[in-house]
């Protein structure tokens, strides 16, 4: 059994993807151009936003989103304590300071009730992560942001296609950063990312920044980067986008089987997200003696993962900030007890049942 079948999306769409490759190779145009623009339009339409700017990867999308949103060196940016470290790294890379706020157990994303206590005169932005497929509770977050004039960047690397109060994630803050890393709900066959927004100035700034700070070749307005989306990946993503809702529905079906098969096991705490609210990037259970359970599952041939074993504040990379164990107990408990079960749009039902049976066996022994 695989944790996630990476090749299955290719096999499912082989003819269309191979055709896109042939078209791209024969076009003679290999950087930005029509393939990139076509995908940007398709992705903006999918999210419901006015603009999408394709960029190199998710981390660069976060950095560009923050920079274009006006975050400056020395600013404080509020971010949840339990995210993948990329969200923190982006804040650091624009010279700002990550200010951790604990998540809620309900969404696993930032707890809106804890945000205001973390705001100081230096705070200019909130980076909200829709973690594991479940949207953060955006309405109260946007209210707080409005009151304090803060820029809100969504990190939507894990919840592509999710819907919150009738709108897609990626269309809930002032701008949203996407990763199309192959293992995400929609992934490229390599590296890619994007930023969506309704704000024409933000979209324009990112277009300039991703391309050496220039609009017109060799006329550089600002000190930019090379963070353009790979045009071949854009062509592949254009083929995949119309299938995302279906793939998310298939992930939801796996989640449904897990809920049905695991809900009566007392040692397991299941996610609180409603089936339809999440696009189930990960299916996270909480168990005591997590490491032993994971090892025993491995012996039965069941692959699992831990997202994530070390919260950013305890990571060696942030040793300079002087955080210690106990500073963010919710994030730490999540890191100590979370276990991600295999899930994906191409996971056979027989594999899901094998995971359920194996978990029962391990917890009863
Ligand atoms: C994957 C991921 C990123 C980074 O994306 P890359 O394309 O790998 O740079 C950022 N944030 C979160 C929450 C992610 O899961």
């Amino acid at each position: 059994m695989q944790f996630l079948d990476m090749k299955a999306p290719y096999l499912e769409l082989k003819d269309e993807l191979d055709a896109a490759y042939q078209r791209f190779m024969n076009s003679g145009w290999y950087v930005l151009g029509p393939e990139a623009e076509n995908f940007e339009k398709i992705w903006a339409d999918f999210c419901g936003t006015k603009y999408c700017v394709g960029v190199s990867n998710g981390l660069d999308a976060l950095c560009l989103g923050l920079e274009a949103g006006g975050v400056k060196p020395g600013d404080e940016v509020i971010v949840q304590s339990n995210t993948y470290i990329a969200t923190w790294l982006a804040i650091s890379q624009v010279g700002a300071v990550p200010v951790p706020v604990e998540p809620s157990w309900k969404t696993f994303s930032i707890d809106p009730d804890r945000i205001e206590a973390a705001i100081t005169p230096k705070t200019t932005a909130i980076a909200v992560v829709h973690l594991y497929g479940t949207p953060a509770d955006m309405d109260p977050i946007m209210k707080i942001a409005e009151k304090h004039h803060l820029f809100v960047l969504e990190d939507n690397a894990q919840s592509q296609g999710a819907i919150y109060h009738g709108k897609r994630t990626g269309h809930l803050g002032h701008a949203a950063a996407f990763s199309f890393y192959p293992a995400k709900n929609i992934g490229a066959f390599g590296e890619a990312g994007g930023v969506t927004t309704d704000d024409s100035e933000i979209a324009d700034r990112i277009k300039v920044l991703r391309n050496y700070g220039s609009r017109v070749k060799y006329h550089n307005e600002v000190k930019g980067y090379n963070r353009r989306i790979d045009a071949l990946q854009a062509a592949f993503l254009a083929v995949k986008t119309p299938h995302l809702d279906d793939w998310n529905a298939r992930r939801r079906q796996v989640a449904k089987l897990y809920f049905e098969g695991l809900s009566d096991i007392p040692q397991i705490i299941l996610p609180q997200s409603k089936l339809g609210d999440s696009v189930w990037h990960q299916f996270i259970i909480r168990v005591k003696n997590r490491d032993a359970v994971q090892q025993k599952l491995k012996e039965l041939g069941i692959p699992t993962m831990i997202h994530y074993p070390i919260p950013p504040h305890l990571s060696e990379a942030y040793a300079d900030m002087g955080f210690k164990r106990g500073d963010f107990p919710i994030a730490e408990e999540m890191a100590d007890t979370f276990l991600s079960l295999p899930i994906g749009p191409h996971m056979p039902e027989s594999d899901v049942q094998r995971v359920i049976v194996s978990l029962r066996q391990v917890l009863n022994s």
Side-chain angles (χ1 to χ4, degrees):
M1 193 186 303
Q2 290 173 285
F3 184 78
L4 176 68
D5 186 342
M6 302 290 294
K7 195 174 159 185
Y10 173 58
L11 297 178
E12 184 182 334
L13 303 177
K14 187 174 185 309
D15 292 347
E16 282 176 83
L17 290 165
D18 288 353
Y21 169 78
Q22 295 292 342
R23 182 181 73 231
F24 177 82
M25 295 307 280
N26 283 308
S27 74
W29 192 331
Y30 304 125
V31 174
L32 292 180
E35 297 288 358
E37 283 167 29
N38 180 50
F39 170 63
E40 287 172 337
K41 181 165 183 339
I42 287 172
W43 191 250
D45 285 349
F46 178 84
C47 295
T49 54
K50 288 193 183 142
Y51 310 99
C52 167
V53 185
V55 302
S56 32
N57 57 56
L59 177 58
D60 288 348
L62 286 163
C63 292
L64 290 166
L66 291 170
E67 187 172 342
V71 174
K72 300 258 174 325
D75 289 1
E76 290 179 4
V77 177
I78 289 173
V79 62
Q80 64 201 58
S81 51
N82 66 321
T83 182
Y84 178 55
I85 199 167
T87 329
W88 282 48
L89 291 176
I91 295 165
S92 303
Q93 284 185 17
V94 300
V97 181
V99 175
V101 166
E102 292 265 68
S104 88
W105 285 106
K106 194 160 163 262
T107 59
F108 298 149
S109 293
I110 195 165
D111 182 348
D113 292 339
R114 296 172 188 265
I115 292 175
E116 278 195 297
I119 294 173
T120 77
K122 286 185 169 174
T123 311
T124 57
I126 311 175
V128 180
V129 191
H130 306 300
L131 207 61
Y132 309 136
T134 301
D137 192 5
M138 286 301 283
D139 286 349
I141 295 170
M142 294 311 290
K143 266 204 196 104
I144 294 164
E146 210 170 297
K147 184 172 151 199
H148 297 273
H149 309 287
L150 303 178
F151 171 71
V152 176
L153 179 70
E154 299 167 73
D155 178 341
N156 200 19
Q158 300 194 1
S159 301
Q160 300 98 334
I163 290 173
Y164 172 88
H165 295 180
K167 277 171 109 179
R168 298 265 191 199
T169 52
H171 191 200
L172 302 169
H174 300 113
F178 286 86
S179 164
F180 301 109
Y181 184 78
K184 310 297 187 184
N185 285 35
I186 175 169
F189 296 90
E191 307 270 359
V195 181
T196 52
T197 183
D198 277 343
D199 186 322
S200 60
E201 282 177 28
I202 288 177
D204 187 60
R205 248 175 260 149
I206 294 174
K207 274 192 178 172
V208 171
L209 283 171
R210 76 173 172 182
N211 193 31
Y212 289 107
S214 78
R215 220 177 285 269
V216 177
K217 210 166 194 172
Y218 308 132
H219 292 256
N220 304 82
E221 301 167 25
V222 289
K223 295 186 189 75
Y225 315 93
N226 179 352
R227 292 179 175 172
R228 300 176 292 234
I229 191 169
D230 183 310
L232 176 59
Q233 299 306 329
F236 292 147
L237 287 164
V239 171
K240 287 180 103 181
T241 303
H243 300 271
L244 179 56
D245 280 332
D246 174 46
W247 285 335
N248 283 341
R250 283 147 67 178
R251 286 176 175 271
R252 204 165 278 147
Q253 182 57 26
V254 176
K256 184 165 178 271
L257 295 171
Y258 279 143
F259 274 114
E260 287 166 4
L262 301 173
S263 62
D264 63 332
I265 305 181
Q267 300 98 316
I268 292 180
I269 302 178
L270 292 169
Q272 290 181 43
S273 306
K274 287 204 213 81
L275 208 56
D277 289 349
S278 181
V279 290
W280 301 101
H281 177 60
Q282 302 298 348
F283 192 93
I284 305 255
I285 62 168
R286 290 160 67 196
V287 272
K288 281 211 192 89
N289 306 321
R290 187 263 324 269
D291 293 346
V293 171
Q294 183 178 40
Q295 179 57 31
K296 283 183 195 156
L297 285 170
K298 191 178 166 198
E299 286 159 18
L300 293 172
I302 308 297
T304 58
M305 290 183 79
I306 296 167
H307 299 102
Y308 298 91
I310 304 169
H313 72 281
L314 298 180
S315 157
E316 215 183 316
Y318 280 97
D320 58 334
M321 288 187 78
F323 293 118
K324 56 187 188 314
R325 188 161 265 282
D327 285 347
F328 299 97
I330 299 179
E332 291 164 22
E333 193 180 336
M334 287 177 170
D336 292 343
T337 61
F338 274 8
L339 186 66
S340 305
L341 304 182
I343 191 165
H346 303 89
M347 187 173 175
E349 178 163 349
S350 55
D351 279 0
V352 186
Q353 298 301 352
R354 244 186 81 205
V355 175
I356 293 168
V357 170
S358 305
L359 253 173
R360 285 184 178 281
Q361 189 182 328
V362 164
L363 292 169
N364 285 332
S365 61

